[in-house]
Amino acid sequence: MSSNLTAVSETQSSARRWLIAKMRVITFFIVGLTVHVVFFLSIFDIYFTSPLVHGMTPLSTQMKPPASRLVLVVADGLRADSLFTLLPNGSSRTPYLRRVIEETGTWGVSHTRVPTESRPGHVALIAGFYEDVSAVAKGWKENPVEFDSVFNESRHTWCWGSPDILPMFAKGASGDHVYTHTYPAVEEDFASTDASRLDSWVFTQVKSLFQSAKSNSTLKGSLLKDKNIFFLHLLGIDTNGHAHRPMSEEYLNNIALVDKGLAELVPIIEEFFGHDGRTAYVFTSDHGMTNWGSHGAGHPSETLTPLVVWGAGVNVAQRVTEPQPYEDNFLQDWKLEHIRRVDVNQADIAPLMASLVGVPIPVNSVGVLPILYLNNSDQFKAESMYTNAIQVLEQFKIKMQQKKETTLSFFFTPFQQLTESKQAEIIHKARILIQLEKYNEAISQCQSLISLSLEGLLYYHTYDRFFLGCSVVLGFVGWTSYVILVILKTHASLHRHPHFSKQRSSRTVARLCVCVAVMITVFLLIQRSPVTYYIYCLLPVPVWFFVYKESGALTDLIRSAPSLPLWKCFGYFVLVAFGIELLVVSFFNRAMLTLGLGVLSLWPILTGLFTKAKFRSLSWFLGCLCLSTFPLMPVVGREPNLHLVTGAGLLTLFTSACFLWSSRQRTPLHFRDRRQFFSQMLLVAVCACVPTLTHSSLQQKRGLPLLNQIISWSTLGSSIFVPLLSSTRLFHRLLSIFLSLTSTYLLLSTGSEALFPPVLSWLMFVWINIEQEALLAQGVSGRQELSTIDFSANIDITKIRQLKLDDIRRSYFFVFFIITAFFGTGNIASINSFDPASVYCFLTVFNPFIMGGLMMWKVIIPFIIVMCTFESIQVATQLSSRSLFLIVLVISDIMALHFFFMVQDYGSWLDIGTSISHYVIVMSMTIFLMLLSVVTHILTSKRLHLCESPKMHFP
């Protein structure tokens, strides 16, 4: 009786210990997730805060402007070369604009900035500043921050075009003087029979306005007033470029249609205003487009856009005989070397329009007035440039005052190149030069003041960058150190020693940490810092306190050193360090993954596993080599090849059938499971055909078939739930997951990337098998046959082993395969790698959020395959899920720190932006893997008809 009570008591005690351990795991998971979210968001606070300041007074030149009205035409997605290049026979596809360039106007190239998307492009054109990346994420149509624009400063603005662009300028304007006319959003259809009808609609609406004004005295009165702007947003070129590529007949014909529309519209406008010569015209584009029909990054085809300006107050074409100061060969290619070319930055167009029509320059504008476009008196040019300089200087003054008010006086370091005395000196000198009619010298002084003001704006905008960066690095290093100590303490076989003095001194350290936290809080309160500053500065305090508390593990490691294989440990450390560096380099050069897979393919040979498992080692070797070909394939610019999608479906069916045939003896399938696998394989066959049928229908201008759309969305919706209906046997569940995800991946594929999941899954299958051989080679007892492992089976905690050195290699393999899954065929590291054709099976009407979500799911699918494999390896190698994942966290955090330090070292914004994007990717990946670890555990171990949770077996 007493022995039974003792057994019950021991069981209860074990259950209690297991429950406490489980709660610690959950707590660690929540804390770790929170810390990584903070580190992830920190990069946006440090590098992507809004550059806008408020409180400036709008300024305008007091002299009479040359134009009473301005027509702004933005051909969305138009490349500079597509407009300026002549046809093979020497004629132009845009004869009207070509005549303007050669006779009546001034032309040049407008240089845009990354991201080359419609919203930031239009903000730069119309408001004169470059919107930060985070603002785009906060809202596509709405204004995430308030800003001034040329439209807001106008008397009236009439707009026609896309519902994705016009509303943000209407809602950003004070009053109700901005009138928008948009077509329904469903018209933005990539499967449209002819997207150029969007532009035809705009031209028709504009003509209708002037026609109706003839019989509407109120409207006519408004149109005849000065300071009016007419904005035509032409989306057809961009839509045709996405759907058919910029070299297609549809894209080029759309450009010709726009030219014809302008040729018809300009005489109508001139006639309405009685040919008064008071109308200025600006024709440009928000961004260009790559040869493969995408935009968003910094390729010249995306950043070089055309600018043609003519009409009132604009210089006519200037003939030149000497070489022009441009290093590119565009002038020769475009046969325009005899006409003066005047390039501008995209934001410079806003002050140009404001100067022409006589409205204040938008108060947030950082553009510099391009004087060479103006055909007016030298005094007007000098006064306009002076106004531009004062307008930019006002932003600098307010930015400096804001920073001064939130910084302790003895800590504040002003921008030395533009002190208050220097400002007054330049302004006074410029004013005197204008009075003395030395206009060119005055313009030079104003340009110098603008340059210094812009440098000062950047200085104060990045004032806290170093301080915040140090805080984040301190917290990041502390967190990584803490995770390493937790691994040593709870998952490593070290000689444990009591640390009584440590327990006593930790109270003293805790008091010290509280004092430090109070001092930091008071310091930030005095400086009136934002709430996020408190998080970044206070987070390192508790993190380093816990590092101190767990530092006893480091003492245990030192004392255990004599019994450890030091040379072997050192070798593992060196190999992992080189491996992490290879992964970092792979973010810049994907071919490094090919090199890494080549080295990984030799692993069984180098470790002696080849002699014990020749077939599995050979399969591993071939799998690595096949997978290594994918990083060598181009991410962007691929032509669709739907035959490869069909081939990938057949390969999936073949490998699945082979597996089911080979495993029928070891693990017989129940009738229910056979029926499910047959249904899933049938769905794969259907999904392999749907893309071909869909694209065929689109090419024939018949639109997206409804049946194909229903199949696509149904497959997507069921992809996560269908595997939960299958057997929880290891390979049966993995096969069900593979078939379900591959079905969706095929629908999102247009070419060779469809082959990636089958090849990756084959290698993952081999990895699970070969890890069993590696475990056997290490002499681990109690190894379970893979065919008998059930994810939902009882877990015997007595068989959970401690970490070994080889587990570091397993964790590194996992991180390597995760990076390979991300960069293998396409990714979101480069915005322009997105091809809208990938989502045509689901929708063709432009919707950035749904399309982006579908592409994200495409990126995630290989992740899930690798995660499920890793879950299987943890079960098969008798490790707790926490132990291996802690090593993964350390590796990914070291990579993130590497990129964070690279951001600090780089000088150019392009290099900084690249490293920031890589940091964001690694942090997003880490956060996502933490969340996905929960999903994959459910995906592998749960079955829908089972209500009870897996039970623990306590000895």
Side-chain angles (χ1 to χ4, degrees), residues 53 391-401 415 418-419 423 452-457 459-460:
V53 290
Q391 170 260 324
V392 177
L393 180 63
E394 283 298 309
Q395 295 182 72
F396 167 80
K397 287 181 176 179
I398 290 183
K399 193 78 171 179
M400 180 182 69
Q401 188 62 31
F415 182 60
L418 195 60
T419 59
Q423 297 171 31
L452 289 173
S453 299
L454 292 177
E455 287 181 30
L457 274 172
Y459 172 80
Y460 288 117

Side-chain angles (χ1 to χ4, degrees), residues 1 45 63 473 584 823 919:
M1 183 71 174
D45 257 343
M63 299 182 67
V473 167
V584 169
F823 284 110
Y919 173 82

Side-chain angles (χ1 to χ4, degrees), residues 637-705:
R638 296 173 297 199
E639 289 298 321
N641 189 337
L642 297 172
H643 296 297
L644 289 177
V645 179
T646 306
L650 294 175
L651 178 62
T652 301
L653 294 174
F654 176 74
T655 53
S656 302
C658 289
F659 169 75
L660 292 173
W661 178 263
S662 63
S663 64
R664 70 189 190 284
Q665 296 296 333
R666 290 173 295 171
T667 51
L669 284 171
H670 296 294
F671 173 74
R672 175 183 173 181
D673 294 322
R674 284 200 302 271
R675 183 178 59 190
Q676 179 173 340
F677 283 132
F678 177 78
S679 301
Q680 287 187 270
M681 292 170 70
L682 183 62
L683 183 60
V684 169
V686 171
C687 291
C689 299
V690 166
T692 302
L693 297 173
T694 299
H695 285 260
S696 174
S697 176
L698 296 182
Q699 286 179 348
Q700 297 172 25
K701 309 292 185 183
R702 293 186 298 179
L704 173 59

Side-chain angles (χ1 to χ4, degrees), residues 896-948:
L897 268 172
H898 199 305
F899 287 123
F900 198 90
F901 283 123
M902 290 172 77
V903 170
Q904 311 302 317
D905 291 339
Y906 283 140
S908 73
W909 176 247
L910 182 61
D911 291 332
I912 289 175
T914 301
S915 293
I916 288 174
S917 67
H918 293 159
Y919 173 82
V920 170
I921 289 168
V922 174
M923 290 305 299
S924 304
M925 204 177 291
T926 306
I927 295 169
F928 178 71
L929 290 178
M930 295 179 76
L931 296 172
L932 198 59
S933 63
V934 179
V935 176
T936 51
H937 177 72
I938 296 172
L939 200 59
T940 53
S941 63
K942 303 299 180 184
R943 197 166 187 178
L944 285 181
H945 73 275
L946 295 176
C947 297
E948 69 275 5

